[in-house]
Amino acid sequence: MISWTQHRVPVADRVRHGGAGSKGPPSVAFPGGDRAVALSLQLAQAHQRLRDQIAEVRAGLGHRRRSGDTLVTHCLAFCDALTSHHRGEDEGMFAQLVREHPDLAPTVAKLIEDHELIAEILARTRELAEKAALPGGDERTEAIGRELDGLAAIMESHFRYEERTIGQAFSK
């Protein structure tokens, strides 16, 4: 698992996911500063990378190789990346945001609820990918595709809502 301190993003002098510095995430909500803009941009870029990753996994569903099954590897890597991203938000950025803006607690609760729903889909996808790696697992590719299609739609809605609401909080 990659923690927020290990996951680097090339934004504003390599801002780390969840905040900069080695002592934990800094304040995320202060009026009008460049840091708020950098954090909003970082969030959008992290989301775009996850969108790109799921698109790559979905595109690779029809191109499985018997040796070194890249579908399973990429699918599991994507599941881990999205899980780590959400864990970092829940434990880092969201916790800090609620401490500084208690009025955002209901919004953050909805975002965390989305993360839990997404985690359930990821668990099903992970299970299907692991079974697809076994002999005779080719028929699971279609089921993985359906899970990924649903996941991509939910992710897109969630990411847009999160970027909009977090971006507004940063501009307060």
Side-chain angles (χ1 to χ4, degrees):
M1 175 191 316
I2 298 173
S3 71
W4 73 268
T5 58
Q6 296 166 318
H7 183 74
R8 293 183 176 264
V9 178
V11 178
D13 294 324
R14 304 198 71 120
V15 173
R16 295 176 191 200
H17 182 69
S22 60
K23 295 181 181 176
S27 171
V28 294
F30 56 87
D34 290 337
R35 181 78 179 127
V37 172
L39 286 170
S40 290
L41 179 60
Q42 174 201 11
L43 182 64
Q45 288 178 336
H47 288 168
Q48 187 56 50
R49 279 192 311 282
L50 290 165
R51 287 178 182 108
D52 293 345
Q53 278 184 289
I54 196 170
E56 287 175 23
V57 172
R58 290 166 72 199
L61 285 176
H63 303 12
R64 293 190 59 195
R65 292 186 302 191
R66 288 275 175 210
S67 62
D69 193 359
T70 57
L71 166 65
V72 174
T73 302
H74 288 176
C75 191
L76 293 175
F78 167 74
C79 289
D80 288 345
L82 185 54
T83 299
S84 291
H85 170 76
H86 284 164
R87 188 172 293 126
E89 287 179 339
D90 294 350
E91 296 171 2
M93 181 177 64
F94 289 173
Q96 185 70 25
L97 190 60
V98 169
R99 279 192 295 275
E100 295 180 14
H101 289 281
D103 58 307
L104 291 175
T107 299
V108 168
K110 288 178 187 174
L111 292 169
I112 291 171
E113 186 178 312
D114 284 356
H115 290 177
E116 292 167 359
L117 170 67
I118 290 169
E120 291 173 16
I121 297 168
L122 289 172
R124 286 193 305 270
T125 305
R126 210 179 260 117
E127 181 181 332
L128 288 168
E130 289 168 351
K131 288 179 180 177
L134 301 173
D138 289 337
E139 69 275 359
R140 289 188 172 78
T141 302
E142 190 175 314
I144 293 170
R146 286 191 303 272
E147 289 292 336
L148 291 176
D149 288 345
L151 179 59
I154 291 168
M155 277 175 46
E156 187 59 34
S157 174
H158 170 76
F159 286 169
R160 287 177 187 230
Y161 177 71
E162 185 175 272
E163 289 168 12
R164 186 177 63 252
T165 58
I166 299 301
Q168 288 170 351
F170 288 157
S171 65
K172 286 185 177 184

